[in-house]
Amino acid sequence: MVLWSKEQDKLPDIDMSSGDIEGKKEGGPLTPALVNSNCSVPPVILTKGPEDGSLGSGGDLELTEVTSFTERAGDTGEDVERSEIVVATDCRANAKGQREEDALLENASQSNESDDTSTDQSPEPPVPLKETSFTIGLQVVFPFLLAGFGTVAAGMVLDIVQHWTVFKEVSEVFILVPALLGLKGNLEMTLASRLSTAANIGQMDNAKNMWKMIMGNLALIQVQATVVGFLASIAAVIFGWIPEGHFRLGHAVLLCASSVATAFIASLILGLIMIGVIIAARKVGINPDNVATPIAASLGDLITLSLLAGISTGLYKELDNDYANPLVCAVFVALCPLWVLIARRIPSTRELLYSGWEPVIIAMAISSVGGLILDKTVTNPNFAGIAVFTPVINGVGGNLVAVQASRISTYLHMNCLPMGDPNPPPRKCPTPCASFFGSSVNSRSARVLFLLVAPGHLAFLYTINSLRGGHTTLTAVFISFYMVAALLQVLILLYLADWMVHWMWGRGMDPDNFSIPYLTALGDLLGTGFLALCFHMRWFIGDRDSNSGN
């Protein structure tokens, strides 16, 4: 691109066919400059014409672009007499060409305004929030404790309802517990991460766009909740049928109706809470990534488990009615086309309506395996105490890894790194030392989140013991086994989050939509498996409770 001064209309035609550019002007100073496409100015020599040695006497001036001054001097055989040399880097001239630069910049700005007005219309990217370890910990600790005490309440509820008739007669309901509690990771935490990223990068600053995004996401999670709830009931039926060898149609319909109704209602309530939390957090200057997902979990487990126990008990009483349970299933399934229609009208959720099923379905299957472990462990009278601790260890691990995954995803979005770059820079699989002891903000947050595990679990164990919950005495052996299991679970999850989010980003998959379901489902599986192993090990070494199973 060639930019000339305001008097460019007085210049004769210029030959640009070659690398050398010559221009002549009669009278007055000539102020040309060459600007490359990368906004740099090549070396330019403004020499005196052969007929006149004065710049202001109306002589001819020759403007020549050269690749090097050595070549120029070598061609003439003598030192080149330079009137002015302009070498600009980043579109800045030296002091001698200040007036020419001002004219060029003014002309360039007028040209840019006339050629492209889209730059003025696009909002400026928001300034990233600068966070230290202290600020990260301060913002995370209170939602983390709130979420933890919510999981404690959920554990107390599960400890009580495990003795209800429906849980004894239809033990497959235990298989639904991790799968439905995992919906907060599959749907609500994914929603929170998606909206937190949108809020941080300024997509929710406009009220119209914000409400469109809210409506589309609410409709999307209702579709996903209904489908995932239905598939979770099928998985529970299969996992319950394979060991026992017989199939009961009435129990299968009961599981289906209970799962679909619980998933639908819980997702609607938690989705509305999440939207309110994210909007409020952004307005008061708190990073939504730090507070949204823990608050989703604080109420998610308690609400979901209470709904599951209440709905399944009510439907179990109607088991003799041949129409009650199928009618409940039909009503919620019939609403799906309405939610699909709403989600398709919003651009931000249209793609997820077709591509967002793989993570939530696979995550549901992983959580169902954890549910099978819970079912086989809790039905053993010697290990009945596992029920009260399962929501706690699963919830804490899922909360912390969801915060970390959401933060890494937001970091990648805000730094404008290309997602799905065909030629990405090589990135080796991170080592645990790099993930936890690096100098980046993500390593810093991983350290903060990991340090919250031990004091948090000790506080939750003390609360359970004070409320006389469960069937397990908190001995030193049990606490040691439990803490090792909890620390190992979170350590693995945080490391997997660092690897998985970057891996998905490099392959063009938005981590906000894909990573959290997998990570929280793995948290359920690891938490339930490690906890069951703890109970078996303490039983094996002889640390047994006299009140187990009471």
Side-chain angles (χ1 to χ4, degrees), residues 317-331:
K317 294 179 180 179
E318 301 295 330
L319 195 60
D320 295 334
N321 189 338
D322 296 335
Y323 301 100
N325 291 338
L327 184 61
V328 172
C329 290
V331 168

Side-chain angles (χ1 to χ4, degrees), residues 127 139 416 483 548-549:
V127 179
Q139 292 183 15
C416 302
M483 295 303 299
S548 283

Side-chain angles (χ1 to χ4, degrees), residues 45 128 284 423:
I45 298 179
V284 299
N423 297 312

Side-chain angles (χ1 to χ4, degrees), residues 225-247:
T226 304
V227 175
V228 172
F230 179 76
L231 295 178
S233 65
I234 294 178
V237 171
I238 294 174
F239 287 149
W241 167 65
I242 291 177
E244 296 180 2
H246 62 275
F247 176 77

Side-chain angles (χ1 to χ4, degrees), residues 401 436 450 487-497 519 526 530:
V401 74
F436 290 96
F450 183 74
L487 290 171
L488 186 60
Q489 175 209 28
V490 175
L491 186 71
I492 294 173
L493 290 177
L494 291 177
Y495 173 72
L496 288 177
L519 292 171
L526 291 175
F530 287 159

Side-chain angles (χ1 to χ4, degrees), residues 424-435 495-504 507:
R427 185 180 190 271
K428 297 180 180 179
C429 183
T431 62
C433 291
S435 298
Y495 173 72
L496 288 177
D498 187 25
W499 167 78
M500 185 178 293
V501 171
H502 287 92
W503 181 84
M504 289 181 172
R507 280 152 183 77

Side-chain angles (χ1 to χ4, degrees), residues 231-280:
L231 295 178
S233 65
I234 294 178
V237 171
I238 294 174
F239 287 149
W241 167 65
I242 291 177
E244 296 180 2
H246 62 275
F247 176 77
R248 298 180 182 178
L249 181 60
H251 288 184
V253 178
L254 170 65
L255 290 173
C256 179
S258 301
S259 180
V260 170
T262 300
F264 182 93
I265 299 173
S267 295
L268 180 60
I269 296 174
L270 292 174
L272 293 174
I273 293 175
M274 279 301 89
I275 291 168
V277 168
I278 291 171
I279 295 174

